[in-house]
Amino acid sequence: MKKRIGVLLSGRGSNFEALANSVAAGRIPHAEIAIVVSNREGAPGIQRAEARGIKTRVIPSKGLEREVYDRQVAAVLDEHKVDLICLAGYMRLLSPFFVAKYPNRILNIHPSLLPSFPGLESQRQALEYGVKFAGCTVHFVDENLDAGPIILQATVPVLAQDTEASLSEKILKEEHRIYSEAVKIVLEGKYKIAGRRVLLTS
Amino acid sequence: MKKRIGVLLSGRGSNFEALANSVAAGRIPHAEIAIVVSNREGAPGIQRAEARGIKTRVIPSKGLEREVYDRQVAAVLDEHKVDLICLAGYMRLLSPFFVAKYPNRILNIHPSLLPSFPGLESQRQALEYGVKFAGCTVHFVDENLDAGPIILQATVPVLAQDTEASLSEKILKEEHRIYSEAVKIVLEGKYKIAGRRVLLTS
């Protein structure tokens, strides 16, 4: 039976599309995207999911307390019997309730080499700090921002001529690559966790 | 006329030896190591410098206020007409006096991908955090710890079987390589500084 992925997004969802492409191409075998949830009306990622024939649900988050909202999302994910939850540009912190309900079953991708540059505008932060390597990180999600155990990272060089746009583009390409790889690793169970270290066992 | 490098160290000084090897091999052209200063009696780096016929000076720092001590070091560096100061395992923070006296003329190497894991035991910090890439950083020194503009960085993968010792060894190899490269870039003036970014212009 196929493993069922739920995606949470707030915007264009380019990482959702990368995952959908990987599933369609067999790079994430025995998996399907069961549901895409957006907390924002009109998120382009929802339209793109519909165009692919993937089920979608918009659950507006505005004005709702974190846990109240998260219980609504969890109900939808459970209704669709989701095995793994992938955040793809989901602009909300998760409640302790939600995180505790899905231990080691929520993944996020962040456009920096964590623990450097958590939070927003990571690419700009990296550029302004003057690092010579930037990158991206797929990690398990806990209740802290951009802080859970790391599954995969990728690096890209920062060159003298790089701008926020060119750096973001290079990083995004790596995001699309390693997110699918990480989902495959987790769905196939080819890892173990020791402290904060995720040790790949493939 | 040769550019004159002063090295400050506290211990074995493996990065000093790497610089000395690069100077001897012509990888840092038109340069010489004019003086090696240690703040600790019996630092193995001092013996290694003497074995190479390089001038050395031990200036014990114990019990001295930071600036009082740094003025003694500066006097020795000036006596030897030093153009560039390279820290090589120098276990002291520099005083604002010292940093202001040698603007953009003090380099340090740190065994992490700054701004991740500043301070001591960076390799252990990286391993325990669970990053998938570690590395090292050559940076200009300011009065903050491991914080000045970055000249070069190098990355190494962290593998499941890595220990603090194996990771440190991989990083050290990259330290030796990029420290010499960075010294060459700075001595040849092939860079400009924009904000915190060091843009290489070679």
Side-chain angles (χ1 to χ4, degrees), chain B residues 122-150:
Chain B
S122 303
Q123 302 94 334
R124 178 200 290 260
Q125 288 184 59
L127 210 59
E128 290 181 350
Y129 194 92
V131 292
K132 300 301 180 185
F133 289 92
C136 49
T137 302
V138 185
H139 62 94
F140 288 112
V141 172
D142 61 22
E143 65 269 37
N144 299 310
L145 180 66
D146 303 326
I150 293 170

Side-chain angles (χ1 to χ4, degrees), chain A residues 9 11 36-38 40 42-51 56-58:
Chain A
L9 54 77
V36 176
V37 176
S38 170
R40 288 190 188 154
I46 287 291
Q47 298 164 347
R48 294 180 185 181
E50 284 169 357
T56 65
R57 193 77 65 90
V58 175

Side-chain angles (χ1 to χ4, degrees), chain B residues 66-68 70-72 74 94-102:
Chain B
R66 204 181 303 285
E67 181 171 330
V68 171
D70 281 356
R71 285 185 183 275
Q72 295 181 15
L94 300 174
S95 61
F97 154 78
F98 194 91
V99 172
K101 183 169 162 60
Y102 304 105

Side-chain angles (χ1 to χ4, degrees), chain A residues 165-179:
Chain A
S166 70
L167 180 60
S168 298
E169 187 181 345
K170 283 194 286 192
I171 293 171
L172 191 61
K173 195 172 164 190
E174 293 301 299
E175 288 176 47
H176 294 169
R177 179 176 67 78
I178 70 170
Y179 208 176

Side-chain angles (χ1 to χ4, degrees), chain B residues 12 17 25 27 29 38 41 57 64 70 96 118 127-128 132 145 161 193 196 202:
Chain B
R12 62 185 173 156
E17 286 211 288
R27 290 191 297 272
S38 169
E41 306 263 14
R57 193 77 67 88
L64 292 183
D70 281 356
L127 210 59
E128 290 181 350
K132 300 301 180 185
L145 180 66
Q161 65 271 27
I193 297 184
R196 280 189 55 88
S202 60

Side-chain angles (χ1 to χ4, degrees), chain A residues 113-117 127-133 146-147 150-155 158-160 162 196-200, chain B residues 113-117 127-133 146-147 150-155 158-160 162 196-200:
Chain A
L113 290 174
L114 290 172
S116 290
F117 314 123
L127 209 60
E128 290 182 350
Y129 194 93
V131 292
K132 299 303 179 185
F133 289 91
D146 303 327
I150 293 169
I151 302 158
L152 289 177
Q153 295 184 301
T155 67
V158 182
L159 306 177
D162 267 321
R196 280 190 54 88
R197 292 181 77 180
V198 181
L199 304 173
L200 306 186
Chain B
L113 290 174
L114 291 172
S116 290
F117 315 124
L127 210 59
E128 290 181 350
Y129 194 92
V131 292
K132 300 301 180 185
F133 289 92
D146 303 326
I150 293 170
I151 302 159
L152 289 177
Q153 292 183 304
T155 66
V158 182
L159 306 177
D162 267 320
R196 280 189 55 88
R197 292 182 76 181
V198 180
L199 306 172
L200 307 186

Side-chain angles (χ1 to χ4, degrees), chain A residues 84-96:
Chain A
L84 184 70
I85 299 158
C86 293
L87 311 187
Y90 186 60
M91 303 301 283
R92 287 180 64 83
L93 271 178
L94 300 174
S95 60

Side-chain angles (χ1 to χ4, degrees), chain A residues 2 18-32 52 180-181 183-184 187-188:
Chain A
K2 285 186 177 179
L19 290 178
N21 287 338
S22 291
V23 167
R27 289 191 297 273
I28 306 175
H30 313 297
E32 64 187 314
R52 290 168 179 268
S180 295
E181 273 187 46
V183 168
K184 179 173 187 289
L187 286 180
E188 294 181 345

